[in-house]
Amino acid sequence: MLEMDVILKTIVVGQLMENTYVIGSGHTKECVIIDPGDEGDRILDEVKGLGFTVKLIVNTHGHSDHTGAVEFIKDSTGATYGIHQGDVHMLRSSILKIHSGNHSVLDPDRLLEDGDILHVGGIDLNVITTPGHTVGSVCYYIKDMGMLFTGDTLFNGSIGRSDMPGGNGRQLMYSIMNRLMTLPGDTKVYPGHGPDSSIGHEKLTNPFVLRWRE
């Protein structure tokens, strides 16, 4: 359990070991799911175990290892679904067709833009657009908690790929350096794959960040 009665659960799913995040309020029992990429039944079992009601589903980007369980969870819970306009086209034609099942993601209920604040159970998620891995990549920043969910933009010791359709290496580094590295150093980084980190740690050790500064 975190401060302010915010509860975070990380669930690693799918062939690419993608991090799905459940963030909820222990007081209101409402939660948001970030990047439900696969294994929808297991994700909902975890949500049930926490006693949460899913109010919102959001994606950091449109690759199917992050979107594969959206339709199942949306149909099961009636939650609102949001993604950036730039990646809507990927929901039915993703480059990464690796999730199990034959679900095709429904149209989003909400198109996210930079500066949007998503309110769920007393938790505010700030939308930060970070194009480069994909055109519509975004990160979610919970300022009060110092928590940043970076999808495939920034990893512990690495960065996202930019060699797939819609990717742009210089744009990716601009997003990282000008949108993420400007956040407080103690901001906790929760990436789309692999272990968590912090902005301060990445400033000091991430080879891509260090090389860009040089």
Side-chain angles (χ1 to χ4, degrees):
M1 185 176 296
L2 304 171
E3 295 178 6
M4 294 175 59
D5 207 22
V6 173
I7 297 169
L8 170 65
K9 178 71 175 183
T10 305
I11 309 165
V12 181
V13 301
Q15 298 176 35
L16 295 186
M17 305 293 286
E18 184 264 338
N19 293 330
T20 293
Y21 296 103
V22 178
I23 309 105
S25 165
H27 176 65
T28 66
K29 297 298 183 180
E30 296 179 340
C31 74
V32 55
I33 301 178
I34 299 177
D35 286 349
D38 202 347
E39 303 180 59
D41 283 330
R42 184 160 73 89
I43 294 171
L44 289 184
D45 283 345
E46 296 280 0
V47 170
K48 182 178 179 181
L50 293 167
F52 285 158
T53 298
V54 182
K55 303 299 289 186
L56 179 66
I57 306 161
V58 291
N59 280 130
T60 58
H61 64 290
H63 287 153
S64 67
D65 59 325
H66 292 253
T67 66
V70 170
E71 183 178 20
F72 175 81
I73 292 175
K74 179 174 171 55
D75 286 348
S76 299
T77 65
T80 299
Y81 170 51
I83 191 172
H84 190 275
Q85 172 68 57
D87 279 8
V88 169
H89 69 284
M90 290 184 175
L91 299 180
R92 291 182 177 82
S93 60
S94 177
I95 298 300
L96 296 175
K97 292 295 185 183
I98 49 75
H99 63 273
S100 63
N102 297 310
H103 299 299
S104 58
V105 179
L106 297 171
D107 291 331
D109 302 299
R110 179 170 180 174
L111 298 177
L112 305 179
E113 299 180 1
D114 188 60
D116 284 349
I117 301 177
L118 310 177
H119 307 282
V120 180
I123 302 168
D124 293 340
L125 287 85
N126 296 267
V127 179
I128 302 174
T129 52
T130 53
H133 178 62
T134 65
V135 173
S137 287
V138 304
C139 297
Y140 299 101
Y141 179 41
I142 305 178
K143 184 177 181 179
D144 292 342
M145 302 301 302
M147 301 165 68
L148 180 69
F149 299 87
T150 58
D152 287 1
T153 294
L154 177 67
F155 299 123
N156 184 328
S158 190
I159 64 173
R161 293 177 60 176
S162 59
D163 60 342
M164 294 183 288
N168 183 306
R170 289 190 63 84
Q171 191 176 44
L172 176 62
M173 287 308 305
Y174 182 89
S175 294
I176 291 169
M177 299 304 296
N178 292 278
R179 304 307 309 275
L180 303 186
M181 290 298 128
T182 58
L183 297 174
D186 60 355
T187 301
K188 196 78 169 180
V189 172
Y190 297 96
H193 304 269
D196 56 25
S197 184
S198 71
I199 290 296
H201 181 75
E202 296 309 305
K203 282 182 178 179
L204 292 174
T205 65
N206 189 301
F208 296 91
V209 171
L210 295 175
R211 189 177 306 132
W212 186 266
R213 284 179 168 168
E214 291 175 359

